[in-house]
């Protein structure tokens, strides 16, 4: 079986996913084409050699509808022969796209492919595309479907995390992200977003709050308490988990992922095409998986996905140098650390979505590039990316430096 190698990884900065955010003026297609052009320019790539571009996108509607990947391919000036496809596995869509690109290379369907993702949450709000899991009672009721914030608070309640546990983690994410930016750790992969005149719109992650304190976090009110009571979501979750007498609402804007805009792209190919083009491989895929998990709590997928990916590679968690676990909510990462019994100094060492934002369809690809950059900086051999997924799933990818 052939191997799939990572040759390059780029991303835009993450902008605030609201009308006041710097990237709100940019269409999703323009964000995606920004990273596609960067991949081409950085390697001097003849785009006719790219077999497919696979982009994750969660809200596939409006400006992000109609196969935004193909639109981005054409907008970026790639050859007409380059195919494009959009995939959605909710929050892990960007990583799923990279895993699919690697699978195409491994099985021989493609020699060179690009995986990545895009999401403009300021222009296409979360939930815009609807879906049976959220609106069809015949699907939602048996699954005990609730909003993710309720699931996060349910997870924290079940695991015995308190507000201080969550806020301490969130504070660490802010400080780690601020330190990483100050130290230039992200510069290798960041592609500034520019306007038609070439003027810079945004060149750094816009959501970081480097001067955050515990006192700041303590002043924030829980985000999901009113929703849980008013719409009966707490009762729905307790019906599924009757061992919980009441849900402790602990997550708020400061210890949950920020709404963001952004895009990312990862160049993936065979060893043969790399040698032919004079490209130096940075890492290889050791394994990648997606799994299903209980849909009401929905956020527990990272640990079982990680265990399955490690088993496929014949490795243990102790063999992995670094982990990137998407910070959808603080409880998700604390749960992963507890379940996998890993040192928190190996997890999200440069902060995560709590500090820098979570552009839904792009985040998985962002984390893959962030992980690889840090593995190279620390001269580490292996790393793993994993994300929880709406509806109860988990996705993971294990990579090894070449």
């Amino acid at each position: 079986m052939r191997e799939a190698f990572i040759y390059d990884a780029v991303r835009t900065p993450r902008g605030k996913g609201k009308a006041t955010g710097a990237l709100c003026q940019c269409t999703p297609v323009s964000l995606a084409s920004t990273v596609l052009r960067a991949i081409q320019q950085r390697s001097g790539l003849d785009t006719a050699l790219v077999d497919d571009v696979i982009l994750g996108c969660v809200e596939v509607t409006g400006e992000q509808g109609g196969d935004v990947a193909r639109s981005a391919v054409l907008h970026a000036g790639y050859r007409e022969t380059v195919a494009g496809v959009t995939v959605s596995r909710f929050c892990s869509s960007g990583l799923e796209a990279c895993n699919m690109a690697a699978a195409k290379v491994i099985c021989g369907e493609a020699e060179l492919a690009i995986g990545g993702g895009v999401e403009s949450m300021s222009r296409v709000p979360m939930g815009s595309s609807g879906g049976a899991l959220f609106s069809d009672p015949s699907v939602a009721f048996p699954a005990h479907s609730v909003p993710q914030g309720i699931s996060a608070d349910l997870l924290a309640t079940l695991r015995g995390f308190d507000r201080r546990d969550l806020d301490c983690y969130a504070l660490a994410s802010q400080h780690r992200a601020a330190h990483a930016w100050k130290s230039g750790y992200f510069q290798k992969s960041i592609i500034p977003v520019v306007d038609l005149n070439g003027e810079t719109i945004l060149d750094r992650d816009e959501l970081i709050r480097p001067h955050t304190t515990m006192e700041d976090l303590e002043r924030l009110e829980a985000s999901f308490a009113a929703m849980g009571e008013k719409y009966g979501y707490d009762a729905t979750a307790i019906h599924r988990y009757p061992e919980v007498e009441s849900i402790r609402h602990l997550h708020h804007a400061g210890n949950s992922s920020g709404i963001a805009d952004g895009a990312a792209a990862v160049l993936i190919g065979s060893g043969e095409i790399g040698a032919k083009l004079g490209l130096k491989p940075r890492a290889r895929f050791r394994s990648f998986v997606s799994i299903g998990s209980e849909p009401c709590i929905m956020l527990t997928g990272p640990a079982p996905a990680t265990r399955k990916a490690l088993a496929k590679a014949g490795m243990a968690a102790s063999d992995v140098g670094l982990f990137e676990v998407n910070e959808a909510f603080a409880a998700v990462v604390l749960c992963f650390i507890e379940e996998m019994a890993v040192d928190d100094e190996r997890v999200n060492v440069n902060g995560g979505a709590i500090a820098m934002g979570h552009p839904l369809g792009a985040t998985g690809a962002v984390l893959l590039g962030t992980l690889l950059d840090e593995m190279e900086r620390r001269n580490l051999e292996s790393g793993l990316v994993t994300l929880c997924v709406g509806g109860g799933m988990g996705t993971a990818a294990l990579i090894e430096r070449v």
Side-chain angles (χ1 to χ4, degrees):
M1 186 177 292
R2 301 196 314 170
E3 291 185 306
F5 295 92
I6 297 174
Y7 289 102
D8 199 7
V10 299
R11 71 170 178 95
T12 67
R14 284 166 278 197
K16 294 178 181 177
K18 54 181 67 177
T20 56
L23 297 184
C24 183
Q25 62 184 292
C26 304
T27 66
V29 169
S30 70
L31 291 176
S33 62
T34 292
V35 291
L36 291 182
R37 280 193 291 269
I39 284 284
Q40 186 276 322
Q41 292 167 2
R42 282 161 55 121
S43 62
L45 182 66
D46 178 359
T47 60
L49 299 173
V50 179
D51 295 297
D52 208 353
V53 172
I54 308 167
L55 295 183
C57 184
V58 174
E59 301 300 342
V60 186
T61 187
E63 291 182 309
Q64 292 179 170
D67 192 358
V68 68
R70 175 59 175 168
S71 298
V73 164
L74 298 175
H75 192 257
Y78 277 40
R79 296 288 187 92
E80 293 179 355
T81 54
V82 181
V85 62
T86 306
V87 300
S88 176
R89 196 185 292 280
F90 294 146
C91 295
S92 73
S93 297
L95 184 59
E96 187 67 35
C98 294
N99 291 349
M100 289 175 65
K104 281 175 172 279
V105 170
I106 289 169
C107 76
E109 181 182 344
E111 289 293 328
L112 197 62
I114 295 173
V118 63
E119 202 82 31
S120 178
M121 300 181 75
S122 63
R123 299 173 70 100
V124 186
M126 186 164 52
S128 296
S129 59
L133 190 59
F134 313 106
S135 59
D136 184 343
S138 69
V139 178
F141 287 178
H144 295 85
S145 183
V146 297
Q148 278 199 346
I150 303 296
S151 297
D153 287 339
L154 172 62
L155 177 61
T157 301
L158 284 168
R159 295 301 176 108
F161 303 139
D162 61 25
R163 171 74 178 252
R164 185 169 182 81
D165 293 330
L166 305 181
D167 286 355
C168 282
Y169 181 81
L171 186 65
S173 181
Q174 290 287 351
H175 290 174
R176 286 174 170 182
H179 174 75
W181 264 107
K182 183 178 180 180
S183 303
Y185 296 166
F186 299 134
Q187 291 305 316
K188 185 174 185 177
S189 299
I190 286 285
I191 305 301
V193 179
V194 300
D195 62 18
L196 294 176
N197 297 316
E199 297 295 325
T200 298
I201 297 172
L202 187 67
D203 61 2
R204 63 183 293 113
D205 291 318
E206 192 177 19
L207 288 85
I208 300 177
R209 300 178 295 278
H211 303 298
T212 300
T213 66
M214 280 296 289
E215 290 72 23
D216 295 329
L217 296 174
E218 287 168 355
R219 283 193 287 268
L220 296 174
E221 294 185 5
S223 298
F224 308 105
M227 175 194 298
E229 182 178 351
K230 181 177 180 180
Y231 298 105
Y233 291 126
D234 282 3
T236 299
I238 292 170
H239 185 264
R240 175 62 182 82
Y241 289 89
E243 64 269 36
V244 175
E245 293 184 4
S246 64
I247 294 176
R248 301 172 64 210
H249 290 287
L250 305 173
H251 286 90
H252 51 74
N255 58 29
S256 306
S257 57
I259 293 172
D261 301 337
V266 181
L267 183 63
I268 299 167
S270 66
E272 291 77 9
I273 193 69
K276 177 180 177 181
L277 299 177
L279 299 175
K280 183 179 179 181
R282 298 174 62 189
R284 63 166 64 86
F285 284 85
R286 285 291 305 271
S287 65
F288 43 85
V289 303
S290 286
I291 59 96
S293 60
E294 198 282 303
C296 177
I297 204 165
M298 88 174 71
L299 303 173
T300 57
T306 295
R307 285 193 287 267
K308 188 172 183 178
L310 291 172
K312 284 180 174 292
M315 294 173 61
S318 58
D319 299 323
V320 179
L322 288 175
F323 294 90
E324 283 289 334
V325 183
N326 186 37
E327 294 176 353
F329 301 92
V332 173
V333 186
L334 295 181
C335 178
F336 177 86
I337 291 171
E338 186 177 86
E339 279 202 37
M340 298 303 301
V342 296
D343 183 351
D344 63 0
E345 292 300 317
R346 290 191 290 146
V347 179
N348 300 348
V349 295
N350 291 326
I354 288 174
M356 293 176 283
H358 177 18
L360 303 175
T363 301
V366 170
L367 295 183
L368 188 61
T370 298
L371 174 68
L372 180 52
D373 285 349
E374 189 63 16
M375 287 167 58
E376 290 174 340
R377 193 181 75 82
R378 297 187 179 211
N379 194 29
L380 297 174
E381 182 177 340
S382 62
L384 185 140
V385 180
T386 185
L387 300 92
C388 58
V389 184
M393 291 181 281
T395 300
L398 176 64
I399 61 172
E400 178 183 71
R401 283 181 59 211
V402 177

